[in-house]
Amino acid sequence: KPSSAASDVYKRQAIILAAGQGTRMKSQTSKVLHKVGNKYLLQHVIDASHNHVEQLNVIVGDNSQSVKAAVKDSKINWVLQEKQLGTGHAVQQAIPFIEDQSICLILYADVPLIESQTLEQLINKAHSTGFSLLSVVLEDPFGYGRIIRDSNGLIQSIVEQKDASKAELKIKEINTGIMAVKGSLLKKYLSELKPNNSQGEFYLTDIIEKAVKDNVSIASFKCENKSEVMGINDKKQLSQAERDYQLNLAQGFMSKGLTIMDQSRFDCRGNLNFGNDCIIDINVVFEGDNDLGNNVVISPNCIIKNAKIGDNTQILANSIIENSSIGSNSSIGPFARIRPDTHVGNHAKIGNFVEVKKSSILNNSKVSHLSYIGDSKIGNDVNVGAGVITCNYDGSNKHQTEIKDGAFIGSNSQIVAPVTIGKNATIGAGSTITQNAPDNKLTLSRNKQSTIEKWKRPNKK
Ligand code: UD1
Ligand code: CA
């Protein structure tokens, strides 16, 4: 959606540079397909710009196959840059697709944390002057292009580290590379670029000097949040970006009322919704789409992936929940593993060292200790004793177990599926159940206990 009415005559386009090799990552994977918050770097940039533009021109190089396969978006126009001859050359490849009457946003796939509001401001400035640039002031500007201003503070040019004089190297305001330019101006100055510099590259940054000579005034604004414009070239910077991203997420969640015990040990790799008064203890990792009700407590060291967790439920330490839903007022763990397609009801308990897979365990039921429950339907008010195993696999196929409401399964029993345990049935401890057990009765399968009177322990030789 366009951000202001004045913009309506202009088409909004973006050019995202993603063709670089990324050799410093020392990886078989293309740099732009590395992830922050489990999302591709390129995808972050697409998401930040998506609502501002009608079309995204993504410049790819040798990595084109893997990048195209990984990132899908109907707004993308893939543009191949066969040889990487510099940032100006990269942008030139998109020229056939850029309209004169457009505001063109230039972005970098390895600068992933740029925020949508920042781009909005940059675009608005480009509407008034035709050309706007995002800068940042860095304590250590080494490696970046420096912003050269005249005595009135107006931008004159950008000088790259490798081409800068001693005096220019002292400048701390640097070029983030991110800019918004009217299509007609961009095309004009790009066509005039020459690789007359120490690297023999076509520098995109040279268009600034050309525009200034043409009396175009360059609007600029300084980005206050440095992590938004940080570039990722190596694994150290990738890790820093991940932490910055997580800290930013954590602070956003806290401002919406989430209690996070330690914001530096919080990880959300996806989307998190939560109600009131939820508490997240340390080292919890959220993945995918998670939904917490009110008063949910997650204790240390849990992995919560694509889960829905109801009000007042506690997930105790060292538990893993994946693609499952847990009702309200229930308790999971410590050390529980809830595998995909599990549904646990309300006021239920899954205790320590219990693994549950593709099963439902309804209201007020308890599986408190050391059990495996797989491919099972467990009703309401069922008590499953310690060490009970549902034997769901015969070596070739999986089979279903059904345990009806009110049943009590004695400890250390094996329930060999397919089998049904009746309503309010009781299974004696240590039984191996291979046939259906009737409602309301005690069923057991074990030898009668006996004592050998004359037996003696052997003597030590
Ligand atoms: C560039 C800027 C510099 C700025 C810095 C910010 C130029 C000349 N310099 O320098 O002023 O401070 O970014 O990070 O623009 N790329 C291509 N094709 C190419 C060359 C590069 O797609 O032919 C991509 C790279 O993959 C990378 C981005 O463009 O994502 C920037 O290129 P890079 O060579 O890293 O530019 P810098 O020297 O960092
Ligand atoms: Ca760079």
Side-chain angles (χ1 to χ4, degrees), residues 2 6 47 54 73 95 138 205 307 316 347 413 425 453:
D47 290 352
E54 290 139 61
D73 191 303
I95 285 305
L138 295 183
T205 44
L316 302 175
H347 296 277
S413 293
E453 293 296 345

Short mmCIF file of all heavy atoms in Angstrom, two decimals, residues 2 6 47 54 73 95 138 205 307 316 347 413 425 453:
data_model
loop_
_atom_site.label_atom_id
_atom_site.label_comp_id
_atom_site.label_asym_id
_atom_site.label_seq_id
_atom_site.Cartn_x
_atom_site.Cartn_y
_atom_site.Cartn_z
N PRO A 2 0.56 2.19 -0.85
CA PRO A 2 1.39 3.40 -0.91
C PRO A 2 1.29 4.15 0.40
O PRO A 2 0.25 4.14 1.06
CB PRO A 2 0.76 4.20 -2.05
CG PRO A 2 -0.19 3.29 -2.74
CD PRO A 2 -0.57 2.23 -1.77
N ALA A 6 0.58 11.60 -2.36
CA ALA A 6 1.43 12.25 -3.35
C ALA A 6 2.21 11.24 -4.19
O ALA A 6 2.64 11.53 -5.29
CB ALA A 6 2.40 13.20 -2.66
N ASP A 47 10.78 -8.90 3.05
CA ASP A 47 9.67 -8.62 3.97
C ASP A 47 9.64 -7.15 4.38
O ASP A 47 8.57 -6.55 4.49
CB ASP A 47 9.76 -9.51 5.21
CG ASP A 47 9.44 -10.97 4.89
OD1 ASP A 47 9.02 -11.25 3.75
OD2 ASP A 47 9.62 -11.82 5.78
N GLU A 54 5.71 -2.26 -5.55
CA GLU A 54 4.87 -3.13 -6.38
C GLU A 54 5.70 -4.23 -7.02
O GLU A 54 5.18 -5.25 -7.45
CB GLU A 54 4.20 -2.32 -7.48
CG GLU A 54 3.13 -1.37 -6.95
CD GLU A 54 3.19 -0.02 -7.64
OE1 GLU A 54 3.02 0.02 -8.87
OE2 GLU A 54 3.43 0.99 -6.94
N ASP A 73 8.21 -15.41 -4.45
CA ASP A 73 7.35 -14.26 -4.17
C ASP A 73 6.86 -13.73 -5.51
O ASP A 73 7.67 -13.53 -6.43
CB ASP A 73 8.14 -13.18 -3.43
CG ASP A 73 7.25 -12.08 -2.89
OD1 ASP A 73 6.50 -11.46 -3.68
OD2 ASP A 73 7.29 -11.85 -1.67
N ILE A 95 18.09 -2.08 -15.01
CA ILE A 95 17.60 -0.89 -15.72
C ILE A 95 16.44 -1.16 -16.70
O ILE A 95 15.47 -0.40 -16.74
CB ILE A 95 18.78 -0.18 -16.43
CG1 ILE A 95 19.61 0.58 -15.37
CG2 ILE A 95 18.34 0.78 -17.52
CD1 ILE A 95 18.79 1.54 -14.53
N LEU A 138 29.33 5.88 12.63
CA LEU A 138 29.96 4.74 13.29
C LEU A 138 31.24 5.18 13.99
O LEU A 138 32.02 5.96 13.43
CB LEU A 138 30.32 3.65 12.27
CG LEU A 138 29.17 2.95 11.54
CD1 LEU A 138 29.73 1.87 10.63
CD2 LEU A 138 28.17 2.34 12.53
N THR A 205 27.94 4.19 -5.86
CA THR A 205 28.06 5.43 -5.08
C THR A 205 28.48 6.62 -5.93
O THR A 205 28.24 7.76 -5.55
CB THR A 205 29.09 5.21 -3.95
OG1 THR A 205 30.22 4.52 -4.52
CG2 THR A 205 28.51 4.36 -2.86
N ALA A 307 3.34 -24.83 18.37
CA ALA A 307 2.49 -25.35 19.45
C ALA A 307 1.41 -24.34 19.81
O ALA A 307 1.60 -23.13 19.67
CB ALA A 307 3.34 -25.65 20.67
N LEU A 316 7.27 -27.58 32.01
CA LEU A 316 8.40 -27.62 32.95
C LEU A 316 9.71 -27.88 32.21
O LEU A 316 9.72 -28.22 31.03
CB LEU A 316 8.12 -28.67 34.03
CG LEU A 316 6.81 -28.36 34.81
CD1 LEU A 316 6.49 -29.47 35.80
CD2 LEU A 316 6.91 -27.02 35.52
N HIS A 347 -6.40 -29.75 32.29
CA HIS A 347 -6.12 -30.38 33.59
C HIS A 347 -5.45 -31.74 33.41
O HIS A 347 -5.72 -32.68 34.16
CB HIS A 347 -7.41 -30.54 34.42
CG HIS A 347 -8.05 -29.24 34.78
ND1 HIS A 347 -7.65 -28.49 35.86
CD2 HIS A 347 -9.04 -28.53 34.19
CE1 HIS A 347 -8.37 -27.38 35.93
NE2 HIS A 347 -9.22 -27.38 34.92
N SER A 413 3.19 -51.81 32.34
CA SER A 413 2.41 -52.66 31.43
C SER A 413 2.76 -52.32 30.00
O SER A 413 3.13 -51.19 29.70
CB SER A 413 0.90 -52.44 31.65
OG SER A 413 0.54 -52.92 32.93
N ALA A 425 -11.83 -49.60 33.00
CA ALA A 425 -11.09 -50.85 33.15
C ALA A 425 -9.85 -50.62 33.99
O ALA A 425 -9.32 -49.50 34.03
CB ALA A 425 -10.70 -51.38 31.77
N GLU A 453 10.99 -72.41 48.41
CA GLU A 453 11.39 -72.47 49.82
C GLU A 453 12.84 -72.89 50.02
O GLU A 453 13.54 -72.34 50.85
CB GLU A 453 10.47 -73.42 50.59
CG GLU A 453 9.02 -72.95 50.70
CD GLU A 453 8.85 -71.65 51.50
OE1 GLU A 453 9.80 -71.25 52.22
OE2 GLU A 453 7.79 -71.00 51.35
#
